């Protein structure tokens, strides 16, 4: 099949290239017409927080955006916001903001519904702004319009700082600078490695074309499911890295075939049949590993797995079709000008010298490599899943400023209020003459008062709970049965104490307050949802890890027909991932070197980060494993000398693997320029893992263990040999003549 595809594309190069360019244009046009949609909504089916959210949404309808705060602050010594002049300025600003397009309503701290929006000293307050859009549809221009409309307040000396989605729209970074730096660094590495600017530009062009299709497609997918903004960034990181690497592997094979005297078209076809087949296998392993995240049972994981999977599949399509077409058109200019100078016998250089050293001293180097990775993995023993909030944003950002002012004026828990929702078995009797606002802020409904003992008991229990700063009066929905309390913790949303409060309310405080009443209470809000998310991830992680390990092992067993090789590769990958987790924990959770990457200090690590990293890293490590083991197995099948095969395999693939890894590391590290801590986590985690995998693991541990195991590497039970299909991922469709070197030998059937 690969030979057929390669030959078809090689004979129609202009049509193939035109088709890819038209596909890219169509994708860009579609996303321009329909828009790119992202959503930060987190759905956790079956969780208590999801039940609270669904119940509250039905009973207390709110606008799509929720209520976005616009903070008002006067410094100490200035007139407080309660003074008549400043109050008039605030009301004037609120009226002007209400007239801004997309603004539905504005609640001031002087309105009954906004009575709690004024600090005790009167110097900080906030307007609650409701919009008819949410997520990425809240644009910086909307925030600018709100700030411009707040001119009456700023003219009176009041500092105005938007928060929530309005602040996030301004702080939302553009990854274009990161991608440009990554591409520039890759160009330098490729030029030095390939010795040709034109040859170096081909992998970059392939990566950009693949990304130019994958990202618009992902933007359109956002219309069908919730895709977080981080998903697009991760897709860009992975898509650009594998797109360049896969093309580099193919280009290297093509240049080798041309240097050996092969014709341009035949070299392009054999490149697709050989290198393209290996790339397809490696890319399928990445997608299969990402598919394991579906077992997490969370829509967020579906989206975060789908995003890089789309990028990888696109990169595979480019490699298998666009690359052979480009090789035919540019073949004469991609061929090395002269063959590499031969190395005198007995004097290996570069990776050949490393390979010889590993073969000569496998035990010391194996132990040294394990010691290094073990030392790096130590911090991972203390990894715990947390949650980020705006307090983790960069100092000076609008989100961080509004967060800090809210915390200073209303307490740290004001940035992550909990919702306790109660569904009564019978309608409650409201207190005479009392009222409360619904979530929409436009319809007054009765508020349940102390006349209903069921609600009074819950209110008393909540106010007396450890870790609770304040509790709002219970608000009764129009159905007379659904009640909601707003509970403000004493700690910030990212503080583990807030998570402990959520568990304490669910397990102890609320059950005792409602014993025997039949009330159905749920605890929701962002901190509760994040706690449920981390708990679900921790619960499902063993299943996901087991699936990924099994799939990776089976794929390697299918490719190399060796249980020993498959199990050893899985173990080595686990060691590599553990070391990457250790680096992640040390930098972010412990804050080691955090300031060097633009953070103020330690930040929590969300639960989905290590889980997604595991799937991605296991998939990416398969790339290097496949290319290294393909070369080793080819040499073993040819000469039946395991030690020589390991040395030859590492010597021939070490340079290309290290170059490919260096490119990927450069791409990942370029994303450290992002202000988003999650993007920094993936940048550091993936870069450190790829660097360790391509050097310590593939350069030392894998060849050392293969030398020590000898012919046992290729042991295959007879019964398993009969069951396994024969898959030749090294072959390129060329039938070698007697004595011709460098081609696949007959498939080994070890007994």
């Amino acid at each position: 099949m690969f030979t057929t595809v390669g030959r078809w594309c090689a004979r129609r190069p202009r049509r193939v290239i035109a088709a890819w360019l038209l596909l890219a244009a169509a994708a860009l046009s579609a996303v321009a017409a329909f828009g790119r949609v992202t959503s930060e909504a987190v759905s956790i089916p079956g969780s208590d927080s999801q039940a609270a959210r669904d119940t509250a949404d039905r009973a207390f309808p709110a606008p799509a955006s929720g209520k976005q705060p616009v903070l008002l602050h006067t410094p100490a010594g200035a007139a407080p916001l309660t003074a008549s002049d400043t109050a008039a300025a605030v009301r004037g600003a609120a009226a002007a903001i209400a007239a801004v397009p997309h603004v539905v309503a504005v609640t001031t701290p002087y309105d009954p519904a906004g009575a709690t929006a004024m600090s005790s000293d009167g110097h900080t307050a906030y307007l609650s702004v409701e919009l008819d859009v949410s997520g990425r549809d809240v644009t910086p221009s909307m925030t600018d319009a709100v700030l411009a409309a707040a001119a009456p307040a700023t003219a009176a000396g009041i500092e105005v700082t938007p928060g929530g989605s309005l602040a996030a729209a301004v702080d939302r970074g553009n990854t274009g600078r990161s991608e440009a730096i990554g591409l520039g660094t890759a160009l330098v590495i490729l030029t030095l490695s390939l010795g040709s600017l034109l040859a170096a530009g081909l992998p970059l062009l392939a990566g950009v074309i693949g990304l130019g299709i994958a990202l618009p497609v992902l933007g359109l997918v956002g219309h069908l499911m919730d895709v977080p903004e981080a998903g697009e960034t991760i897709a860009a990181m992975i898509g650009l890295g594998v797109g360049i690497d896969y093309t580099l592997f193919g280009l290297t094979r093509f240049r080798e075939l041309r240097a050996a005297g092969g014709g341009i078209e035949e070299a392009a076809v054999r490149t697709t049949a050989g290198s393209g087949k290996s790339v397809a296998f490696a890319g399928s392993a990445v997608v299969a590993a990402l598919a394991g995240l579906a077992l997490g049972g969370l829509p967020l994981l579906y989206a975060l797995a789908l995003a890089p999977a789309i990028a990888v599949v696109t990169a595979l399509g480019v490699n298998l079709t666009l690359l052979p077409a480009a090789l035919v058109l540019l073949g004469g200019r991609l061929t090395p000008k002269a063959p590499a100078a031969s190395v005198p016998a007995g004097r290996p250089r570069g990776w050949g010298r490393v390979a010889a050293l590993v073969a000569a001293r496998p035990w010391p180097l194996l132990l040294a490599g394990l010691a290094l990775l073990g030392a790096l993995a130590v911090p991972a023993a203390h990894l715990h899943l947390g949650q980020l909030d705006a307090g983790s944003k960069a100092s000076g950002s609008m989100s961080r400023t509004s967060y800090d002012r809210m915390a200073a004026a209303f307490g740290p828990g004001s940035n992550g209020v909990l919702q306790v929702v109660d569904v009564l078995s019978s309608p409650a009797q409201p207190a005479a003459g009392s009222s409360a606002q619904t979530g929409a802020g436009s319809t007054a409904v009765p508020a349940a008062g102390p006349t209903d003992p069921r609600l009074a008991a819950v209110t008393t229990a909540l106010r007396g709970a450890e870790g609770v700063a304040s509790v709002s009066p219970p608000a009764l929905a129009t159905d007379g049965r659904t009640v909601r309390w707003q509970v403000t913790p004493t700690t910030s949303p990212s503080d583990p104490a807030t998570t402990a409060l959520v568990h304490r309310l669910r397990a102890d405080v609320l059950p005792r307050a409602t014993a025997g009443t039949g009330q159905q209470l749920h605890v929701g809000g962002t901190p509760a949802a994040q706690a449920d998310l981390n708990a679900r991830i921790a619960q499902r992680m063993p299943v996901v890890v087991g699936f990924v390990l099994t799939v990776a092992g089976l794929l390697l067993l299918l490719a190399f027909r060796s249980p020993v090789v498959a199990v050893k590769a899985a173990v080595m990958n686990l060691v590599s991932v553990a070391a990457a987790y250790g680096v992640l924990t040390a930098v972010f959770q412990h804050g080691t070197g955090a300031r060097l990457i633009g953070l103020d200090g330690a930040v929590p690590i969300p639960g989905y980060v290590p889980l997604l990293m595991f799937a991605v890293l296991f998939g990416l490590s398969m790339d290097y494993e496949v290319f290294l083991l393909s070369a080793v197995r080819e040499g073993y099948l040819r000469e039946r000398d395991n030690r020589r095969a390991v040395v030859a395999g590492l010597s021939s693939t070490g340079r290309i693997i290290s170059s490919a890894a260096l490119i990927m590391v450069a791409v990942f590290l370029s994303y450290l320029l992002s202000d988003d801590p999650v993007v920094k986590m993936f940048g550091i985690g993936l870069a450190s893992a790829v660097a360790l995998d391509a050097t310590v693991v593939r350069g030392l541990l894998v060849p050392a263990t293969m030398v020590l195991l000898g012919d046992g590497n290729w042991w295959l039970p007879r019964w398993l040999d009969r069951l396994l299909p024969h898959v030749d991922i090294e072959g390129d469709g060329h039938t070698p003549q007697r004595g011709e070197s460098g081609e696949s030998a007959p498939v080994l059937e070890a007994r």
Side-chain angles (χ1 to χ4, degrees):
M1 182 186 76
F2 291 93
T3 301
T4 303
V5 171
R7 194 173 301 282
W8 193 94
C9 295
R11 290 178 175 176
R12 302 166 180 82
R14 289 180 174 80
R15 290 192 214 173
V16 173
I17 292 174
W20 275 101
L21 293 177
L22 285 174
L23 182 59
L28 292 170
S29 299
V31 81
F34 298 104
R36 174 182 282 109
V37 177
T38 60
S39 173
E40 303 305 318
V42 177
S43 175
I44 313 169
S47 67
D48 190 58
S49 59
Q50 189 67 42
R53 176 182 173 183
D54 293 342
T55 302
D57 286 348
R58 289 192 299 267
F60 302 93
S65 69
K67 294 186 177 182
Q68 307 305 318
V70 175
L71 272 81
L72 312 166
H73 178 73
T74 57
L81 296 170
T82 51
S84 58
D85 290 345
T86 51
V90 170
R91 288 192 176 96
I97 291 173
V100 170
H102 299 292
V103 174
V104 176
V106 179
T107 303
T108 74
Y110 315 110
D111 300 330
T116 60
M118 180 73 71
S119 65
S120 57
D121 63 4
H123 282 281
T124 305
Y126 60 88
L127 306 174
S128 293
V129 178
E130 300 169 19
L131 307 172
D132 60 7
V133 295
S134 62
R136 200 179 185 121
D137 291 332
V138 180
T139 63
S141 61
M142 294 181 193
T143 306
D144 293 341
V146 169
L147 286 172
T154 55
I158 301 172
E159 298 177 27
V160 180
T161 308
S165 296
L166 291 169
V170 175
D171 296 336
R172 188 181 298 135
N174 189 323
T175 61
R177 184 173 55 160
S178 296
E179 285 145 13
I181 292 175
L183 287 171
T185 306
L187 179 61
V188 173
I189 297 170
L190 287 167
T191 303
L192 293 175
S193 176
L194 299 174
S196 164
L197 190 60
L198 178 63
L202 184 57
L204 297 184
L205 181 62
V208 170
I209 290 177
L211 207 59
I213 295 173
L215 290 185
V217 168
L218 187 58
L220 296 174
V221 170
H223 290 276
L224 306 176
M225 61 185 296
D226 291 333
V227 178
E229 195 166 340
E232 288 192 346
T233 305
I234 296 167
M237 295 169 69
I238 304 300
L240 194 58
V242 301
I244 295 173
D245 276 11
Y246 290 169
T247 307
L248 174 60
F249 290 135
L251 177 59
T252 301
R253 178 59 173 161
F254 175 80
R255 284 160 61 92
E256 290 173 352
L257 293 170
R258 287 286 291 143
I264 292 178
E265 180 180 317
E266 189 61 25
V269 173
R270 289 179 61 188
T271 294
T272 304
S275 175
K277 190 188 299 182
S278 296
V279 163
F281 184 88
S284 299
V286 177
V287 174
L290 290 169
L293 294 177
L295 298 175
L298 292 167
L300 173 66
L301 294 181
Y302 303 157
L304 290 176
L306 181 63
I310 289 175
V312 172
V313 169
T314 307
L316 288 179
V318 169
N319 186 270
L320 295 175
T321 58
L322 180 61
L323 179 59
L327 292 176
V328 167
L329 288 181
L330 302 174
R333 286 173 284 177
L334 295 175
T335 304
K337 291 182 173 59
S342 60
V343 180
R347 294 180 56 190
R349 296 184 302 179
W351 278 100
R353 183 176 299 175
V354 173
L357 181 62
V358 172
R361 300 179 179 177
W363 273 115
L365 293 176
L366 174 63
L367 295 176
L370 289 175
L372 174 61
L373 294 180
L376 292 173
V378 167
H382 305 287
L383 171 65
H384 62 77
L385 308 182
Q387 52 183 288
L388 292 169
D389 55 31
S392 302
K393 297 290 186 180
S395 296
S397 64
M398 195 169 286
S399 296
R400 178 66 180 272
T401 301
S402 63
Y403 176 94
D404 289 343
R405 286 184 174 171
M406 281 286 290
F410 302 99
S414 61
N415 286 297
V417 176
L418 299 172
Q419 290 189 27
V420 175
V421 181
D422 190 359
V423 180
L424 303 173
S425 56
S426 59
Q429 295 298 320
S434 63
S435 65
Q437 294 289 334
T438 67
S442 58
T443 306
V445 297
T451 54
D452 194 310
R454 295 172 295 180
L455 306 188
V458 173
T459 303
T460 300
L462 288 172
R463 288 175 176 166
E466 179 186 356
V468 172
S470 63
V471 180
S472 70
L476 183 64
T478 52
D479 63 6
R481 295 180 56 186
T482 307
V483 190
R484 180 175 63 184
W485 291 264
Q486 305 280 356
V487 179
T488 303
T490 58
T491 49
S492 67
S494 62
D495 195 316
T498 304
T499 301
L501 171 62
V502 171
H503 295 319
R504 190 162 54 249
L505 292 178
R506 290 171 174 170
D508 181 39
V509 175
L510 295 176
R512 283 194 291 107
T514 59
T517 64
Q519 292 171 253
Q520 303 174 34
L521 286 133
H522 304 288
V523 180
T526 300
Q530 291 294 333
D532 288 344
L533 177 65
N534 287 339
R536 180 70 61 84
I537 288 174
Q539 178 188 11
R540 297 293 181 90
M541 185 173 282
V543 177
V544 175
V545 169
F547 174 84
V548 173
L549 285 173
T550 302
V551 169
L554 289 176
L555 287 174
L556 287 171
L557 177 62
L558 183 65
F560 300 108
R561 305 180 66 78
S562 168
V564 175
V565 165
V567 172
K568 178 174 59 64
V571 172
M572 293 298 177
N573 288 349
L574 284 175
V575 172
S576 177
V577 170
Y581 280 2
V583 173
L584 188 74
T585 305
V587 174
F588 294 95
Q589 188 173 299
H590 297 166
T592 305
R595 294 186 182 277
L596 298 177
I597 60 173
L599 295 175
D600 293 338
V603 296
I605 299 174
Y608 63 84
V609 170
L611 188 61
L612 181 58
M613 268 185 59
F614 180 85
V616 170
L617 291 177
F618 234 84
L620 291 180
S621 66
M622 290 281 284
D623 295 351
Y624 304 138
E625 187 78 4
V626 166
F627 290 114
L628 173 59
L629 290 184
S630 295
V632 174
R633 185 170 185 266
E634 183 178 353
Y636 183 78
L637 293 176
R638 188 169 56 243
E639 300 182 8
R640 294 298 194 273
D641 186 321
N642 182 75
R643 181 182 292 266
R644 290 183 62 184
V646 171
V647 172
L650 183 57
S651 300
S652 63
T653 62
R655 182 180 179 185
I656 187 65
I657 288 177
S658 59
S659 297
L662 189 57
I663 291 169
M664 212 171 263
V665 168
V667 169
F668 293 154
L669 289 181
S670 68
Y671 282 86
L672 293 179
L673 296 175
S674 171
D675 290 331
D676 189 340
V678 171
V679 175
K680 292 179 185 291
M681 289 177 193
F682 280 107
I684 287 287
L686 295 177
S688 59
V690 169
L692 291 170
D693 191 85
T695 54
V696 180
V697 176
R698 308 303 152 197
L700 296 179
L701 301 188
V702 170
T705 54
M706 295 192 78
V707 168
L708 292 171
L709 289 170
D711 290 343
N713 287 295
W714 313 109
W715 170 77
L716 181 67
R718 188 182 298 273
W719 64 268
L720 185 57
D721 176 45
R722 290 193 296 267
L723 291 177
L724 290 176
H726 288 265
V727 179
D728 178 19
I729 69 167
E730 305 96 345
D732 61 7
H734 174 67
T735 303
Q737 302 299 318
R738 178 182 296 273
E740 184 177 349
S741 62
E743 306 300 336
S744 299
V747 176
L748 173 69
E749 296 183 2
R751 298 296 196 269

